[in-house]
Amino acid sequence: MSSRAISSRQPAAWLALTCKSVLLACLVSHSVVLAAPPAAELRVRVVDAQGTAMEHAVVSLHDGKAANAAARPIAIMDQRNLQFAPGVLAIQAGTVVEFPNQDDVRHHVYSFSHPNAFELKLYHGQTGNYEQFDHPGVVVLGCNIHDGMLGYLRVVDSPWFATSDEKGSLTIAAVASGAYEMQIWHPDLGMKMMRQRVDLDAGMNTLRVTLDNAVKVAPESKPVHSLQSLFRD
């Protein structure tokens, strides 16, 4: 092979090497731009106007992008001792909820909360009573046989949520730092929601929330079951 032929290939090789370098630089720059923001953690304590801890408050963070549960997980709203357990169950939209009955009597579970209304007629035990809740909001649960049974589902279109314990405390972990709308709901708020903007820094963030507009809400009215009507005026 002549020296002339070798030299004629040098510009092409140099051009290929230059293109690879430019492409690599672009990829590195692009990966830096797309790097996820540092992780944050939010700890919230919910109290009433008198400073008393509020159990069963649901706090969720929203970034403006609705997010339904992709894996269709199953949550459980049990019925024990003529009560819903837990009294408040927070779930992500798209979640399937099972309603097992652990009591020795039958229950007739229902909700009129649009658009998540449903009905599970008289049943006992674990008989495959499942409902999927796709719409964000509050679902008030009742039993058409036992008036004292009252429970709640809080359906959120976000993967970042938690429910306060008996000390009014909750933690939302593994959330990206940045700006969010924080939604707070408690049974004493009825169908209303408290909202406020929060800016989360990387690492630990601590907030105190006061439910100063909380009012006791009466259970939803419900139809009278045919068996009950025999014993009512």
Side-chain angles (χ1 to χ4, degrees), residues 141-182:
L141 304 173
C143 175
N144 206 19
I145 305 301
H146 306 98
D147 290 337
M149 292 181 63
L150 182 63
Y152 301 90
L153 301 178
R154 169 69 174 113
V155 186
V156 300
D157 55 353
S158 167
W160 307 300
F161 60 92
T163 306
S164 64
D165 58 20
E166 66 278 1
K167 297 180 180 179
S169 300
L170 61 89
T171 300
I172 301 176
V175 56
S177 57
Y180 295 87
E181 179 187 76
M182 182 173 68

Side-chain angles (χ1 to χ4, degrees), residues 68-97:
N68 283 19
R72 306 296 186 197
I74 295 179
I76 295 178
M77 174 59 86
D78 211 339
Q79 296 154 76
R80 298 193 304 267
N81 302 318
L82 302 184
Q83 296 293 330
F84 288 104
V88 173
L89 177 63
I91 60 173
Q92 188 174 356
T95 297
V96 174
V97 179

Side-chain angles (χ1 to χ4, degrees), residues 25-219:
C26 289
L27 289 174
V28 171
S29 174
H30 189 60
S31 65
V32 171
V33 172
L34 295 181
E41 182 172 310
L42 175 62
R43 292 184 180 178
V44 179
R45 186 162 189 267
V46 184
V47 298
D48 64 12
Q50 288 71 44
T52 304
M54 298 290 284
E55 188 179 5
H56 302 312
V58 179
V59 176
S60 54
L61 298 174
H62 303 261
D63 60 1
K65 303 174 183 177
N68 283 19
R72 306 296 186 197
I74 295 179
I76 295 178
M77 174 59 86
D78 211 339
Q79 296 154 76
R80 298 193 304 267
N81 302 318
L82 302 184
Q83 296 293 330
F84 288 104
V88 173
L89 177 63
I91 60 173
Q92 188 174 356
T95 297
V96 174
V97 179
E98 181 182 5
F99 293 85
N101 178 4
Q102 307 293 343
D103 287 329
D104 293 330
V105 296
R106 291 185 177 185
H107 291 307
H108 186 150
V109 178
Y110 74 97
S111 177
F112 292 151
S113 301
H114 182 76
N116 288 308
F118 73 100
E119 181 182 25
L120 301 174
K121 294 187 178 181
L122 288 168
Y123 71 99
H124 174 260
Q126 298 185 6
T127 56
N129 287 290
Y130 299 88
E131 288 289 330
Q132 181 171 314
F133 297 90
D134 295 321
H135 306 283
V138 177
V139 183
V140 184
L141 304 173
C143 175
N144 206 19
I145 305 301
H146 306 98
D147 290 337
M149 292 181 63
L150 182 63
Y152 301 90
L153 301 178
R154 169 69 174 113
V155 186
V156 300
D157 55 353
S158 167
W160 307 300
F161 60 92
T163 306
S164 64
D165 58 20
E166 66 278 1
K167 297 180 180 179
S169 300
L170 61 89
T171 300
I172 301 176
V175 56
S177 57
Y180 295 87
E181 179 187 76
M182 182 173 68
Q183 297 182 3
I184 307 99
W185 177 83
H186 186 274
D188 288 356
L189 293 176
M191 306 303 285
K192 297 186 298 182
M193 206 82 57
M194 291 179 59
R195 293 178 170 87
Q196 69 180 68
R197 176 191 168 95
V198 294
D199 294 292
L200 301 184
D201 298 324
M204 181 61 63
N205 298 261
T206 304
L207 289 174
R208 178 185 170 101
V209 174
T210 301
L211 297 182
D212 52 359
N213 293 321
V215 293
K216 293 294 182 182
V217 178

